[in-house]
């Protein structure tokens, strides 16, 4: 199905339905119930996370990080700039690169993939600040607003192509698993999970074809969301909390470091971490089912499936030594923790 969606986008195909017509009535009833429940708490307007991070390394020759997408990319659900994904990723990049990182966050809450053209145009308007790397997080609103998936991935492919042509590396956090939203009940939960994963896989295929990399956000960026929904979701039970965004940053930061050459790449795959080289469509489907999985192009039509995200230490190891955190200070005086 993901391959069909991607092919339909590439060749100008129309909508490819993801749900059978017989399920429409039941889904609509469940959607109305979910709408009355989700968003019962009001998520705060996302804080502005733009600015210079890693001032401990000076102000000269910063890396330029662009953030595009929807409310998840903007950081809706938290109240401090340092808790937004862009700020967390910038602080982490600064600590690894030992260089300051300038963030420009163009993401718009409520945006769908058809808004990416406007966002890319805005980001590239200033040629003196062409981004070195861009992070895109998009797709949830495409599902909830029933945007045809072929249109969704066509817009995403065009955005990645423009950014790559401009010289930026691109990392896409694929559509999250909407089946993990706590107030959504069966069978809508199962259907939302299926549709989300199909879109995520299709996004992976077109992004890899355009020279970008993807990181699957899956069940909202890790199994912690399913295990601790009260902790990992924000006040509206829809957007991530500060802990949720930190988990997102931890999942995506290794891929950003790799794509910028901040640590050596290797073609040696770690079998213990289920890394593999697979046909692109199969790699996309596999990544969609496991959060934190990176897919990057190899020799066509193959792709590398990698699990760069750090795994939790055993309980004994966690208690044997205290964890340390590096803080990178953004230009506006807020503390931007590096994760």
């Amino acid at each position: 199905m993901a391959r069909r969606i991607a092919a339909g986008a590439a060749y100008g195909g129309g909508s490819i339905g993801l749900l059978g017509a017989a399920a429409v009535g039941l889904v609509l009833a469940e959607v109305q119930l979910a709408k009355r429940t989700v968003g019962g708490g009001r998520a705060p307007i996302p804080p502005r996370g733009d600015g210079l991070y890693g001032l401990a390394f000076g102000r000269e020759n910063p890396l330029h990080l662009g953030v595009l997408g929807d409310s998840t990319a903007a950081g809706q659900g938290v109240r401090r700039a340092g808790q937004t994904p862009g700020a967390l990723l910038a602080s982490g990049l600064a600590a690894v690169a030992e260089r300051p990182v300038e963030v420009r966050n163009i993401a718009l809450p409520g945006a769908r993939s058809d808004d990416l053209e406007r966002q890319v145009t805005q980001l590239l308007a200033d040629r003196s600040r062409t981004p070195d790397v861009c992070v895109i997080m998009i797709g949830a609103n495409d599902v909830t607003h029933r945007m045809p998936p072929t249109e969704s991935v066509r817009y995403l492919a065009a955005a990645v192509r423009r950014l790559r042509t401009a010289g930026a590396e691109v990392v896409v956090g694929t559509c999250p698993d909407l089946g993990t939203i706590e107030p959504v009940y069966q069978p809508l939960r199962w259907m939302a999970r299926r549709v989300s994963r199909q879109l995520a896989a299709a996004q992976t295929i077109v992004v890899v074809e355009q020279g970008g990399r993807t990181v699957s956000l899956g069940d909202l960026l890790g199994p912690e969301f399913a295990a601790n929904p009260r902790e990992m979701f924000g006040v509206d039970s829809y957007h991530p909390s500060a802990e949720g965004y930190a988990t997102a940053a931890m999942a995506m930061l290794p891929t950003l470091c790799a794509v910028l050459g901040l640590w050596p790449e290797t073609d040696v795959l770690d079998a213990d971490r289920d890394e593999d080289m697979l046909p692109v469509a199969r790699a996309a489907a596999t990544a969609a089912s496991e959060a934190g999985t990176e897919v990057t192009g190899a020799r066509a039509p193959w792709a590398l499936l990698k699990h760069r995200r750090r795994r939790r230490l055993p309980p004994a190891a966690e208690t044997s030594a205290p964890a340390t955190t590096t803080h990178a200070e953004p230009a506006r005086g807020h503390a931007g923790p590096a994760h």
Side-chain angles (χ1 to χ4, degrees):
M1 177 61 77
R3 171 55 73 186
R4 287 176 57 203
I5 294 171
Y11 295 106
S15 172
I16 296 176
L18 296 181
L19 295 176
V24 170
L26 182 58
V27 169
L28 290 178
E30 290 281 0
V31 165
Q32 295 307 314
L33 178 61
K35 283 182 177 179
R36 291 196 296 269
T37 308
V38 174
R42 181 172 299 175
I45 296 173
R48 296 288 296 176
D50 293 18
L52 197 65
Y53 291 77
L55 292 181
F57 306 107
R59 295 176 176 269
E60 302 298 322
N61 192 30
L63 286 168
H64 293 277
L65 169 65
V67 182
L68 308 92
D70 55 23
S71 56
T72 305
Q76 189 163 13
V78 298
R79 300 184 183 277
R80 290 185 291 178
Q83 297 172 327
T84 61
L88 293 168
L89 290 170
S91 297
L93 282 176
V96 175
E98 298 185 347
R99 288 173 60 184
V101 177
E102 183 184 17
V103 176
R104 295 179 63 201
N105 195 324
I106 312 296
L108 179 68
R112 291 172 285 181
S113 293
D114 56 0
D115 191 54
L116 288 176
E117 180 179 3
R118 180 197 63 82
Q119 293 186 29
V120 171
T121 298
Q122 181 178 345
L123 185 64
L124 298 181
D126 186 351
R127 296 187 178 182
S128 67
R129 302 165 69 193
T130 300
D132 297 291
V133 62
C134 292
V135 171
I136 302 176
M137 301 168 72
I138 199 80
N141 295 317
D142 296 10
V143 173
T144 58
H145 290 78
R146 294 187 291 176
M147 172 179 280
T150 50
E151 291 185 16
S152 176
V153 297
R154 187 182 301 126
Y155 287 121
L156 177 60
V160 175
R161 182 166 56 250
R162 287 183 63 192
L163 292 170
R164 294 288 294 132
T165 300
E169 300 289 348
V170 180
V171 176
V172 175
T174 55
C175 181
D177 182 353
L178 298 181
T180 60
I181 298 174
E182 193 178 31
V184 177
Y185 302 104
Q186 298 290 9
L188 183 59
R189 180 187 293 270
W190 175 85
M191 293 176 179
R193 170 166 288 129
R194 181 184 178 193
V195 173
S196 302
R197 289 184 177 183
Q198 287 176 344
L199 180 58
Q203 289 176 323
T204 295
I205 292 171
V206 299
V207 169
V208 169
E209 287 176 346
Q210 298 301 325
R213 302 191 189 196
T214 63
V215 176
S216 60
L217 302 188
D219 50 352
L220 279 180
L221 318 173
E224 293 90 344
F225 279 91
N228 303 297
R230 299 290 184 186
E231 177 183 351
M232 303 305 278
F233 283 111
V235 295
D236 63 352
S237 298
Y238 187 84
H239 294 96
S241 65
E243 291 81 3
Y245 284 123
T247 302
M250 187 171 65
M252 299 189 72
L253 179 59
T255 299
L256 264 67
C257 292
V259 80
L260 289 172
L262 297 180
W263 55 53
E265 287 271 49
T266 176
D267 292 331
V268 178
L269 301 174
D270 188 347
D272 291 337
R273 296 174 66 88
D274 298 322
E275 296 184 343
D276 204 351
M277 180 180 288
L278 300 171
V280 173
R282 186 177 169 191
T286 302
S289 64
E290 185 172 352
T293 304
E294 175 193 312
V295 179
T296 183
R299 298 181 297 275
W302 300 87
L304 295 174
L305 195 74
K306 293 190 175 184
H307 298 97
R308 299 184 188 273
R309 181 167 172 249
R310 290 189 306 175
R311 294 179 174 176
R312 288 186 178 274
L313 295 173
E318 288 183 337
T319 58
S320 62
T324 58
T325 303
T326 301
H327 291 271
E329 183 182 2
R332 301 181 183 181
H334 299 289
H339 292 263

